[in-house]
Amino acid sequence: MNLKMQIQYDGTRYDGWQRQGNTANTIQGRLEAVLERIFGTYLEIHGAGRTDAGVHAAGQVANVHIPDELARVKWHGDTKSFEEALLMEMNRYLPEDIGITDIEAAAERFHSRLNAAGKVYCYRIGLPGRKNVFERRQIYPLDTGLDPEVMRRTADYLVGEHDFRGFCSGRNKKKSTVRRLDRIEIREADGELRILYQGNGFLYNMVRILTGTLIEAGQGRRSPESVLEILETGKRELAGYTVPARGLTLMRVLYH
Amino acid sequence: MNLKMQIQYDGTRYDGWQRQGNTANTIQGRLEAVLERIFGTYLEIHGAGRTDAGVHAAGQVANVHIPDELARVKWHGDTKSFEEALLMEMNRYLPEDIGITDIEAAAERFHSRLNAAGKVYCYRIGLPGRKNVFERRQIYPLDTGLDPEVMRRTADYLVGEHDFRGFCSGRNKKKSTVRRLDRIEIREADGELRILYQGNGFLYNMVRILTGTLIEAGQGRRSPESVLEILETGKRELAGYTVPARGLTLMRVLYH
């Protein structure tokens, strides 16, 4: 059977989503270790978004194929459904900063990443002199004020289908860097500024470089129009700085 | 001038609210150190609730008297109000897990603790197999199920004015242990159970012992009626265990 899972994590102490060689300190690695403990065999888990070190997720999606004979043996005769029993068991063994919020059976051919139609990310910026002590690990504190109107005007140039190669790090020249940004929403409330990004796909560090660029505009250090040249030339050095992973959360993965 | 402050903190790494001798590691101690840094002189801060080690606050209230001559000199000519400028400056110097959310001028005779008419505390319990990774430091994870209806019936016996000496630790026999509990609200949502307590005052460890007693009832380990004997005899050993500080948050302090 093929299971679709909704996953939350505080990425602070992890080296990102993707398992890398022997590094156990990744979200994927932790999830696979728990599955191996439960089923006694290695099962590969496929995540929709390969979040970087320090990036959080409120709604990461992953899928895993579990051989029917393994699923049949486990919790045989339990009153709970297999999915519910697995969710509880995984949460019991996972560390405190990784949690499963939902498990459901999916079509055999479902693949969390290849079938994803879009993703929603949120970047949270703490405004000067204000604090949110309970959510501080998900907020990047800034010590300068920002003009949200200038940031919105800048964002308007970025929405749409563009070649975003100027807004990514370590790009693979063989792969397309064209993506569609469906919306950028900038909201100010409770001493913070939240930037919501929805798009059909995001390049490596793209959200963090877009955010750094919007911050520079909001600080009056660049004009909204300055982003047009980055889109045209694709020059990374013209774009803003890469903001810290800390403020970034993968909110949702969208499917048709 | 007398200032009334609204304060938030994640109490995880502190030895509670109250300054104790040379221990700098208290919320009060940290706040006073920041005030001393700003004004160059020691100013005593009075908190409404002396929260224990590890207990959090979303709405602690404190007041501090600042000599007018000190207040006049600071931020003279600033466009912001004195209160706003002080709030920003305090948040800048305070550690990440302590924040000021509001400062306003109060009457000279206002005292945050002596004038408090009531307090609202919330205790959060994580239910088995469920997780909230982002708020885990404010939730006590329990590995057994709870029957909220039985807990509500137990709580009904506790609401009202009673001698709560059976529900406190290390009591001072010279002081009254009569308090009025105005409400206990038990809500289940998103894999957790929240217990809200509102009363005119709380004894040492009272919320945590009440919660331990309600949990035992919810687990079927004691009857709702068993709390009547605790109220009658005042015997601490008849009441439930003291749940960890971790799940407890001072939500609000009420004034007439």
Side-chain angles (χ1 to χ4, degrees), chain B residues 58-160:
Chain B
Q60 169 76 286
V61 174
N63 74 293
V64 60
H65 289 273
I66 300 183
D68 286 343
E69 63 276 18
L70 284 182
R72 258 199 307 278
V73 172
K74 265 286 169 183
W75 304 295
H76 177 71
D78 197 310
T79 53
K80 285 187 286 290
S81 70
F82 173 75
E83 292 84 350
E84 172 69 8
L86 178 60
L87 180 147
M88 293 186 71
E89 193 86 340
M90 288 187 74
N91 277 337
R92 209 180 305 273
Y93 292 136
L94 282 168
E96 280 201 325
D97 45 11
I98 305 178
I100 313 286
T101 57
D102 191 58
I103 298 185
E104 57 174 337
E108 268 310 302
R109 65 182 190 290
F110 172 77
H111 187 290
S112 64
R113 190 177 70 254
L114 302 176
N115 294 148
K119 290 192 190 96
V120 179
Y121 280 96
C122 183
Y123 198 91
R124 298 171 68 178
I125 300 162
L127 297 174
R130 301 290 161 177
K131 278 203 181 149
N132 181 332
V133 303
F134 298 113
E135 297 171 18
R136 65 189 185 275
R137 282 176 190 78
Q138 286 89 249
I139 299 172
Y140 164 49
L142 203 66
D143 59 6
T144 62
L146 293 172
D147 182 334
E149 256 324 302
V150 173
M151 295 173 73
R152 283 186 197 107
R153 278 195 279 131
T154 311
D156 286 344
Y157 289 117
L158 295 164
V159 169

Side-chain angles (χ1 to χ4, degrees), chain A residues 8-11 13 56-58 84 87-102 128-139 141 143 246 249, chain B residues 8-11 13 56-58 84 87-102 128-139 141 143 246 249:
Chain A
Q8 282 192 346
Y9 44 86
D10 173 342
R13 66 187 188 99
H56 318 289
E84 173 69 8
L87 179 147
M88 293 187 70
E89 192 86 341
M90 287 187 74
N91 277 337
R92 210 180 305 272
Y93 292 137
L94 281 168
E96 281 202 324
D97 45 11
I98 305 178
I100 313 287
T101 57
D102 191 59
R130 302 290 162 177
K131 277 203 181 149
N132 181 332
V133 303
F134 298 113
E135 295 171 19
R136 65 189 186 276
R137 283 177 190 78
Q138 287 87 248
I139 299 172
D143 59 6
R246 171 180 180 170
T249 303
Chain B
Q8 282 192 345
Y9 44 86
D10 173 342
R13 65 186 188 100
H56 319 289
E84 172 69 8
L87 180 147
M88 293 186 71
E89 193 86 340
M90 288 187 74
N91 277 337
R92 209 180 305 273
Y93 292 136
L94 282 168
E96 280 201 325
D97 45 11
I98 305 178
I100 313 286
T101 57
D102 191 58
R130 301 290 161 177
K131 278 203 181 149
N132 181 332
V133 303
F134 298 113
E135 297 171 18
R136 65 189 185 275
R137 282 176 190 78
Q138 286 89 249
I139 299 172
D143 59 6
R246 171 181 180 170
T249 302

Side-chain angles (χ1 to χ4, degrees), chain A residues 210-223:
Chain A
L210 286 171
T211 303
T213 309
L214 290 175
I215 285 175
E216 290 174 7
Q219 290 170 330
R221 291 165 52 206
R222 65 160 68 233
S223 70

